[in-house]
Every structure is written in C-alpha cells, then in structure tokens.
Amino acid sequence: MVVIQRVVKATTRKGKKVLIKKEPQVNEGPKRALFLQGRRSSDKLRRLTKDLFDIKKPDAQLLNKKNDITVFEDATPVERFCRKFETPLFVMSSHSKKRPDNLVIGRMYNYSLLDMIELHVENIECMREFACQKIVLGTKPSLVFNGPTWEETEELKHLKSLFIDIFHREEVESVRLQGLEHTISFTATPEGKILIRSFNVLMKKSGTRVPRLELEEMGPRIDLTLRRSKLPSEDLMKEALRKPKELKVTKKKNISVDGLGTTHGRIHVGKQEIQKIQTRKMKGLKKTPEEIKMKRAAKRSADNNNVNKIKKQKLG
Amino acid sequence: MDVVKDVLEKSAKEADKYKSVEVNKLIDIDVGALLAIDSNPLDSKALRSSPNDYLLKLTRDNVQLMYNQIWELPTERIEEAIVVKLPKPKYSLPRAKPVPKPRSLTKWEQFAKAKGIVKKKRTKLTWDDQLKKWIPLYGFKRAAAQKEKDWVLEVPQNANPMEDQFAKKVEAKSERVAKNELQRLHNIAKAKHVKIPRFGLTNPDVSSAKELQAAVTVAKSSTASLGKFQEKLPKEKEARGVGAITPGATRKRKLPPVSGSDEKTQNLNIVETVLNKRPKIDMEKAVARHMNDEQLQRSEEKKGERPKRLRKSHGSSTGGGGRKKPKNSNRPRKGKMAGGRKRR
C-alpha cells in the first residue's frame, strides 16, 4: 500500500508560532551558541566558559552537566543538543590527560555539523581580574584580526570565520555612534599562537569630527593554540554560503533618462490569454434572443449567397 | 588682520593639544560587518617582550582607522541618538539553515492571479433592515445576529411542507464547512508534496475500524447492481451513515404502509408505472437508422434515374438483405434533434 507521510500541523496558535520560528527564514537573526562540557572540566575552562557566556549573552545557552561526548569521533550527540536548543554554534570544553584544557568550537548547517576546530587554552585571565568599567550587555563589537597568517592556512581561515560568527552577534543596518564601545582583537603570531584581547573603547575629543580612541582592556585575555580540526566539504560550504534571492540587489531595468532630463520607461506586455481575461459585462449591451436569431438568419443567408456564387463560378 | 591671526594661532594651539586621529597604514576594512583585517607583519620583538602593550597599541590603530571610515558614512538622528547607516557587509558567513523555498500558490490563488482578481477587504458592519441595526458580516457576534434573523424561515414553493428547514440549513452549512476543510487539506498536501488518492482511504495503516468499514461498504456498492450480489463475511457488519454516498444500495426492507390510504396510493403508483410506460427512445440508434434510411432512398432514386442497361442481376442485394425496418421518419423530435441544424 502507498505510505503517505503525515503532515504535522500545530493545534494551538502558540505551537504554530514555535514551528514557524524554527523554519528557515530569509533574514536570519543572531546565531545562538551552546556552551557544554565533555567528560571532565578544568578550572581554566570553567572560568573561560563563564566569561564567553557572559560576552555572548543573551544569544547563548549554558549547560552545566558533564556529558560523555567525544566530538571528533561522533558528533551526533552535539547535533541533537543543537537541534533541541536551536543553536547553530557550540563551544565544548573538555579536559583529559591527553588533551588538557581542550576547547572545541563548531557550527551547524541545517542541524548537521558543518565544521569544528579544536583549540588548547594555554592561558586565561578573567574579566574579573581587570578593574575597569565593563560594557553594556548586548553591544555589537568591532572585530580586528592582526597578523598575516590569518589568510595563509585553510584552518586559520575557517577559524577566523568561526570567531566572526560567534562574536559578531548579528548583521545590522545602522549603528548608534555612541554605542560602538566594544572591540575584540584576534592576533595570530608567527609561532602559531592565537591571542584574543577584548577592549573597552573610550572616545576622546580630538580636533576633528572623528573622536580620538583610547582602548582599555576589560575582557578576558585568552591565549590559544590550534589542535585538530574538521573542515567542511567544498560543496556543503558553498551551499551554506548561498544567499537568498530576495537579498540580491536588482538593478532597475527599462528606465532611461534622456539628455533633457525626462525619464523614459519601456513596458513589455507579455502574452495575454484573451480567453481568461475577466472583462466588464454590460448587461444593457447584451443581445436579446430575437436579435441573436436575426443575426444567425442573416449570416445563414449570406453564407448561402457565397456558396451560390462559388458554385456559379465553378460551373460558369 | 591681527584678530584673524590671533584666532588662527589659538585654533592651531588647541589642535596641538589633542592627539591626532591619523594613522598611516593600509588595512582591509569591512565597515558593514565592523571588521578590520590587518595583514601587515607583526613586530615579533615587541610581541615577545611586552605582548599586551603591543597588542593594545596595534588594535587601537586599527580600530581608529575603522572608526574614521565609519564617521564618514551618512548619519541620521533618531530620538536624540545619532545613528549611522552601515553598508552591506562584504564578508560572507554561512547560514544556519538552508535558503527557504517560496510558498507555492494554492489552486484559488493561481486562478485569481490568472484572472486578475484582487483581494478586497469587506466592511464588517452592514445595516440590516430586518433587525434595524448594524450586524457584523463575519467574526465576532455574527452567528448571534444570524440566529436573530432566522427566528422564522419561509418554506419555499416547491419544497416538501413536512421538511425541517432549520435542520436543512444546519446540514447545508456543515456540508460547506466539510468541503472547505477537505479543500484546505488538499492545498496543504499539495504544498508539502504529499500524494493523496482522490478517493478512498489515505492511510489504511492508521484508519479506525469504522473508517475501514465505511470504505468496504462504499467499495461493495460500486458495482453495476449496487452491491446487491456481493458476498458478506459471516460476522461482517455494514457501516452506518454511508447512505448518502451509496445511493440505491439500501438493503433494508421498506416498512409496510401504515394506513389504508397509503397502501392505496402505493399500489396505484405501481399500476401507473406498468401501464403508462412510454417507449424509450435511444437517440443514437434513431439517428443512425434515419441516416441509413436516407442513404437507401437516395441510392434507389439514383438507380431509378440510371439507364436500364446498367442494372445488373445482383442489384437486389443491397435492397432486400440490408434493408432494416423502416421507422417513422417524421417522428416529432425533441431537444437536440428538434432544430435540425448543427449546433456549435
């Protein structure tokens, strides 16, 4: 027998809204990040996770329990978590003798793993240790990548993309000039270390319209080294980078301005299905049955005349 | 002149007091994403000796460059805040979910698009002369208003006086609702590309016993004799409520007439149907016969005209054997055949 898949329809309005929210949208909002633990965690990692969670709030979810997950062997548990909490990004911290102070950053595409990179946390200084005023929650930071090596290796290119994805919050159209308070800098040293510094931006008066900037270090100071990585396949990445057609800027065609300044436009009228056009029917102009009969009789006689003419021509 | 010179000197001094915002560097800035990528080589000596100070200085320069560019963008003022309009970011990030496919149009929407029908919003309140007040045409309190109007229903001329008009109205409404619901489900199935058979069960695996019974009853009645000769399993029950969709398949015996007059009318009806039977006219057969007759007539006329020497011995073959029973060709014709002219 034919098996027909069931269509899941929500019964309540609230349920319907939840389902609509989960569907893919043209403009996606900020990506949420999931912070979770592996088999064991260390003090360093705990402090780092707390700080990153504080920076990423409110688009973040923190899971406190330990999970028996090894991401590089089997990523399905992480995929399940990300589907449950609707978080395309994840940051997993684990500590073992073989891989101490391990941090795995990754992202999902359509609920399946896109790419992930494993990092070793060498040194961390928490936000608490910096005695200065912190920023308001939820500001969009400006990101700075220092060092020529960011463009050189594939791994660092993907790591750069991951960092931007995690920290940039969301795409905005306009920004309040007073609100540009936060800056994060990522430096890739020639030795292979990655240094992350987070600053508070203070705008001082300058002689010109643009203010003079002074930076004050406020956030966590993180030193990382690269470990393993799982990079995405070319076509999957290409599909993930595809932009919807609605966001493409279309040029206005068929409009031209002549020398005198008048705008000319061209209209192309497509094929018209005359039989299907709905026209206005004027009841007063409708033919009565007698008129239709007369018309038909006249046509018949005209036809007969034509036939006779043709006959005469043929015979004569 | 002196005043001008003084003012200029003063402004120059003031400008010297402030630190400059100029940075001499070339870096890649994506203003739309607030992103700066500095590909210049790093000072490894400074990195080794005092990394944090070096990084602070480096970052400050890069951010200053970026902010210089941001301040050049067009600004607008929204409620005491100066807001700058950012361009589209150049750095592309992967999406979290695939690009959504546009919703396909329903059957009605396609038709409306082809015909050019535009959706017009109806006004909710209309004046009702009967009730002498404004009643809503749809939504809240419409049903109550209709109920007020329906305190009495006229029995139309050609309807049975014993029929319950109120029940009829309710039934008609439920039928319309069911039809609409069916069409809505068809639209959903079409949108989700789920194939559904036009009639019959959609999924026998999850149908209830009652639904299966109804399906079996309907299937049985779909024979030429309306299921009269279909066998039944020993304990099989027939479904109830399918009488509307299986016309003529009633197995129940008709109850005997209640009164003497009822019995009389029933018997008279039977006698009338038996005695006053009119012959049924099979149109296609009649037309074919008529045409055949005409052809025979014409051929006989032609034969009569032709000289006698051409008449052969086997001339009677077409005449005797193939001749069919002559029918009344001036028979009064009704309906389609009455006009005699081919209708287009």
Side-chain angles (χ1 to χ4, degrees):
Chain A
M1 283 300 290
V2 177
V3 176
I4 296 170
Q5 56 187 115
R6 304 216 112 194
V7 172
V8 179
K9 284 242 123 191
T11 41
T12 53
R13 183 172 161 78
K14 197 173 174 185
K16 190 174 172 197
K17 285 209 283 197
V18 165
L19 280 181
I20 287 173
K21 218 173 163 189
K22 289 195 181 170
E23 273 173 30
Q25 273 140 22
V26 175
N27 282 319
E28 293 183 329
K31 276 191 185 174
R32 293 177 59 89
L34 182 72
F35 293 90
L36 66 157
Q37 272 183 42
R39 284 206 186 110
R40 227 168 93 200
S41 192
S42 69
D43 184 47
K44 249 196 244 173
L45 285 177
R46 268 186 284 259
R47 287 184 294 149
L48 174 63
T49 308
K50 184 86 192 4
D51 269 356
L52 286 179
F53 178 65
D54 282 337
I55 291 180
K56 188 70 181 147
K57 270 202 268 196
D59 308 313
Q61 186 84 33
L62 178 62
L63 300 180
N64 289 311
K65 276 200 183 155
K66 289 194 254 224
N67 308 291
D68 190 10
I69 303 174
T70 41
V71 206
F72 277 85
E73 275 163 41
D74 182 21
T76 27
V78 185
E79 284 179 6
R80 244 183 289 136
F81 274 130
C82 287
R83 186 189 279 262
K84 183 179 173 188
F85 292 104
E86 286 287 326
T87 56
L89 300 163
F90 71 89
V91 174
M92 200 177 98
S93 50
S94 66
H95 178 78
S96 65
K97 201 160 168 202
K98 188 171 175 195
R99 276 179 246 274
D101 299 322
N102 203 25
L103 195 78
V104 181
I105 324 179
R107 63 188 154 192
M108 305 279 159
Y109 173 68
N110 199 18
Y111 301 126
S112 57
L113 185 68
L114 181 62
D115 61 350
M116 57 183 171
I117 296 182
E118 192 177 51
L119 302 157
H120 168 51
V121 180
E122 297 202 333
N123 185 29
I124 158 129
E125 282 164 60
C126 296
M127 276 201 276
R128 220 178 296 178
E129 290 159 33
F130 294 92
C132 74
Q133 204 186 32
K134 311 289 183 226
I135 51 158
V136 183
L137 181 71
T139 46
K140 186 177 157 84
S142 28
L143 306 168
V144 183
F145 284 85
N146 304 315
T149 45
W150 283 113
E151 303 293 317
E152 280 168 19
T153 45
E154 278 297 318
E155 289 193 344
L156 280 179
K157 271 199 220 167
H158 281 275
L159 184 61
K160 182 169 83 165
S161 173
L162 264 170
F163 279 142
I164 298 174
D165 228 345
I166 291 181
F167 291 107
H168 91 302
R169 287 195 187 272
E170 66 174 327
E171 201 185 297
V172 285
E173 285 180 352
S174 52
V175 149
R176 198 175 129 245
L177 286 180
Q178 305 300 102
L180 293 167
E181 298 173 333
H182 191 200
T183 298
I184 309 178
S185 85
F186 305 86
T187 318
T189 61
E191 288 102 42
K193 276 177 110 187
I194 297 159
L195 314 167
I196 304 179
R197 305 284 182 269
S198 170
F199 303 100
N200 198 0
V201 177
L202 307 163
M203 295 194 231
K204 302 262 166 71
K205 250 210 267 189
S206 82
T208 59
R209 207 169 131 243
V210 187
R212 162 85 186 176
L213 304 175
E214 294 298 336
L215 300 182
E216 198 183 0
E217 195 161 0
M218 65 126 194
R221 198 182 268 174
I222 314 167
D223 298 338
L224 305 162
T225 4
L226 266 181
R227 270 187 186 151
R228 298 180 287 182
S229 65
K230 184 170 182 296
L231 301 179
S233 57
E234 275 292 325
D235 42 348
L236 188 63
M237 194 63 182
K238 208 171 160 194
E239 211 205 304
L241 284 170
R242 204 147 56 106
K243 302 267 175 289
K245 253 201 233 172
E246 285 91 329
L247 295 183
K248 248 205 278 179
V249 182
T250 45
K251 278 197 301 172
K252 275 209 151 184
K253 289 162 99 182
N254 297 319
I255 297 178
S256 59
V257 184
D258 71 359
L260 296 169
T262 25
T263 335
H264 292 272
R266 292 176 79 121
I267 303 174
H268 299 265
V269 179
K271 184 175 176 185
Q272 290 172 313
E273 302 212 20
I274 299 176
Q275 311 301 328
K276 290 191 184 160
I277 295 179
Q278 175 85 307
T279 52
R280 297 195 84 115
K281 296 175 177 105
M282 311 226 182
K283 255 182 158 177
L285 300 175
K286 214 164 135 187
K287 291 199 171 68
T288 58
E290 291 91 41
E291 284 181 359
I292 296 174
K293 269 193 201 164
M294 274 169 43
K295 190 178 165 199
R296 217 183 274 149
K299 196 180 172 205
R300 219 184 297 165
S301 62
D303 276 346
N304 281 342
N305 285 343
N306 286 340
V307 167
N308 290 339
K309 272 192 202 162
I310 291 166
K311 274 191 185 166
K312 278 190 190 161
Q313 280 180 355
K314 281 199 173 169
L315 296 173
Chain B
M1 267 296 287
D2 283 330
V3 177
V4 171
K5 225 172 138 191
D6 277 337
V7 167
L8 280 173
E9 274 177 10
K10 219 178 176 182
S11 63
K13 267 197 218 153
E14 296 232 326
D16 284 339
K17 252 204 281 182
Y18 299 125
K19 294 197 186 149
S20 76
V21 291
E22 285 171 10
V23 180
N24 284 323
K25 226 195 213 181
L26 192 69
I27 66 173
D28 200 7
I29 297 179
D30 183 358
V31 189
L34 294 183
L35 176 69
I37 301 171
D38 181 6
S39 321
N40 299 314
L42 303 166
D43 185 357
S44 20
K45 223 169 64 178
L47 262 180
R48 245 175 290 131
S49 57
S50 58
N52 293 316
D53 296 326
Y54 172 61
L55 285 180
L56 190 128
K57 190 168 155 301
L58 182 64
T59 312
R60 192 223 79 82
D61 288 339
N62 292 335
V63 177
Q64 180 76 68
L65 269 175
M66 184 159 61
Y67 276 37
N68 289 348
Q69 279 204 7
I70 292 175
W71 252 259
E72 283 169 22
L73 295 172
T75 61
E76 48 183 37
R77 206 185 169 86
I78 300 176
E79 289 180 27
E80 315 165 345
I82 303 171
V83 162
V84 74
K85 270 204 91 167
L86 294 174
K88 282 231 160 198
K90 278 177 252 156
Y91 192 83
S92 53
L93 288 164
R95 285 173 60 96
K97 292 196 189 138
V99 175
K101 276 176 246 173
R103 187 181 72 103
S104 53
L105 297 174
T106 60
K107 265 182 97 176
W108 165 256
E109 281 174 351
Q110 284 171 1
F111 177 78
K113 202 173 161 195
K115 273 270 190 173
I117 298 172
V118 175
K119 236 187 182 180
K120 273 186 229 162
K121 190 170 172 152
R122 294 205 289 178
T123 54
K124 194 159 186 184
L125 295 173
T126 46
W127 178 253
D128 188 57
D129 273 331
Q130 200 179 338
L131 295 174
K132 298 271 188 288
K133 66 175 182 181
W134 293 92
I135 54 164
L137 264 182
Y138 56 88
F140 187 56
K141 296 223 169 179
R142 175 195 169 268
Q146 294 301 314
K147 222 171 158 190
E148 259 190 86
K149 274 178 89 166
D150 287 346
W151 67 278
V152 65
L153 278 179
E154 282 179 19
V155 175
Q157 281 231 356
N158 47 355
N160 184 7
M162 289 295 130
E163 213 179 358
D164 186 358
Q165 296 295 330
F166 294 101
K168 198 167 132 196
K169 198 161 185 189
V170 166
E171 203 193 308
K173 166 108 189 171
S174 68
E175 269 179 30
R176 273 182 273 133
V177 167
K179 181 182 172 228
N180 191 3
E181 183 65 20
L182 183 70
Q183 285 179 331
R184 186 182 77 92
L185 293 173
H186 272 295
N187 277 333
I188 292 167
K190 192 150 181 246
K192 305 265 178 185
H193 303 292
V194 175
K195 291 208 173 169
I196 285 186
R198 213 183 296 177
F199 39 78
L201 294 171
T202 45
N203 193 357
D205 296 333
V206 288
S207 306
S208 65
K210 280 195 180 162
E211 286 175 12
L212 289 169
Q213 248 176 24
V216 165
T217 311
V218 170
K220 269 209 198 143
S221 332
S222 318
T223 56
S225 25
L226 302 174
K228 223 159 100 175
F229 303 108
Q230 299 299 77
E231 289 143 9
K232 232 175 35 166
L233 288 174
K235 283 196 181 175
E236 194 187 330
K237 290 188 207 156
E238 262 186 21
R240 282 199 202 168
V242 276
I245 46 176
T246 56
T250 47
R251 286 173 186 260
K252 275 198 182 151
R253 247 188 76 229
K254 277 210 191 107
L255 295 166
V258 175
S259 61
S261 56
D262 277 343
E263 196 173 356
K264 189 175 168 190
T265 44
Q266 267 189 22
N267 290 337
L268 280 176
N269 281 337
I270 293 168
V271 166
E272 210 185 295
T273 48
V274 168
L275 293 181
N276 297 349
K277 269 206 168 132
R278 291 227 171 101
K280 281 192 227 167
I281 299 176
D282 182 359
M283 274 302 157
E284 286 183 5
K285 234 183 186 177
V287 167
R289 272 215 187 137
H290 179 72
M291 280 172 39
N292 196 23
D293 285 348
E294 280 190 346
Q295 280 186 345
L296 286 170
Q297 271 188 340
R298 264 187 247 130
S299 60
E300 283 197 11
E301 282 170 14
K302 280 198 180 158
K303 269 194 199 160
E305 282 177 1
R306 259 194 247 140
K308 286 199 178 169
R309 55 185 168 92
L310 284 174
R311 214 193 294 163
K312 296 237 167 135
S313 54
H314 57 72
S316 65
S317 61
T318 48
R323 173 85 62 101
K324 292 189 183 140
K325 209 162 59 170
K327 264 229 153 193
N328 188 8
S329 43
N330 291 336
R331 193 178 58 244
R333 272 163 243 180
K334 285 189 197 169
K336 273 190 184 174
M337 295 302 293
R341 187 171 175 270
K342 190 175 180 185
R343 287 184 206 275
R344 287 181 193 278

